[in-house]
Amino acid sequence: MDQELYSKERSASLDLLLRFQRLLVSKLYPADCVGQVPNTYSPDLLGVGSLLKKYTALLCTHIGDILPVATSIACTSHRHFAEVSCVVDGDLTGILLPELVVSVVLLLSKNAGLMQEAGAIPLLAGLLEHLDRFNHLAPGKERDDNEDLAWPGIMGSFFTGQSCRNNEEVTLIRKADLENHNKDGGFWTVIDGKVYDIKDFQTQSLTGSSIL
């Protein structure tokens, strides 16, 4: 019910596919059956598992066709990446796939044997390369990776008091220095008394230099 607002923005066919996907998952979700023999499944349950595999195969085929095209367009510029991302986010890739992956992981944790019988997981694994290529085009991806790698060190220095010693080495930049630097083509700005170099961000920003 919380997603009712978003469902109104989806097409009727896409909304129907999402409901069908949820129905499959609900049928496969294990009930607490007392006395059931482990690793034995009813024909109906196996049939639903087979249907999930066929559904996943069709979905992966569509996404496998869409993502390479999206990647080829998105690699043109950061603006193209933003536009393509909005399109992909409203397509099967952004609506059906994330929920399907979470549902499959949930079902795998509840009943690994049944999911192995269904055979849907290897089909999803085939999309990893396409998704990885597209995600690598995201603006700031390298910066985010570096920040993720540096994060423990930053937090470690914070708790060990290293940040206090680093503050002693901060360079004092005068207003004239900032103005001269920006006249030479740099892009320094002052926020709360601290000088930030946003030259690299200027080339990646989708808002344009005027707003910056």
Side-chain angles (χ1 to χ4, degrees), residues 190-208:
V190 181
I191 303 175
D192 294 334
K194 296 181 180 179
V195 178
Y196 294 88
D197 186 353
I198 59 174
K199 182 69 176 178
D200 293 338
F201 180 74
Q202 179 187 14
T203 60
Q204 300 179 1
S205 173
L206 303 176
T207 60

Side-chain angles (χ1 to χ4, degrees), residues 56-95:
T56 304
L58 292 173
L59 181 63
C60 290
T61 299
H62 173 79
I63 296 175
D65 293 338
I66 291 294
L67 281 180
V69 179
T71 301
S72 65
I73 299 175
C75 67
T76 307
S77 68
H78 295 319
R79 189 179 299 276
H80 282 80
F81 178 85
E83 294 293 338
V84 171
S85 297
C86 291
V87 175
V88 171
D89 193 46
D91 187 60
L92 304 183
T93 308
I95 295 178

Side-chain angles (χ1 to χ4, degrees), residues 56 60 97 101 104 119-132:
T56 304
C60 290
L97 182 62
V101 171
V104 167
I121 297 176
L123 299 174
L124 290 171
L127 294 176
L128 289 177
E129 185 176 352
H130 294 302
L131 291 168
D132 196 49

Side-chain angles (χ1 to χ4, degrees), residues 5-6 15 24 29 40 61 63 84 90 96 103 108 112 116 120 124 133 137-138 157 161-162 183 192 209:
L5 176 62
Y6 297 100
D15 192 64
L24 288 177
Y29 194 82
T40 59
T61 299
I63 296 175
V84 171
L96 299 181
S103 299
L108 185 63
Q116 290 176 357
L124 290 171
R133 287 178 180 174
L137 298 176
S157 64
Q162 295 291 331
K183 287 180 181 179
D192 294 334
S209 300

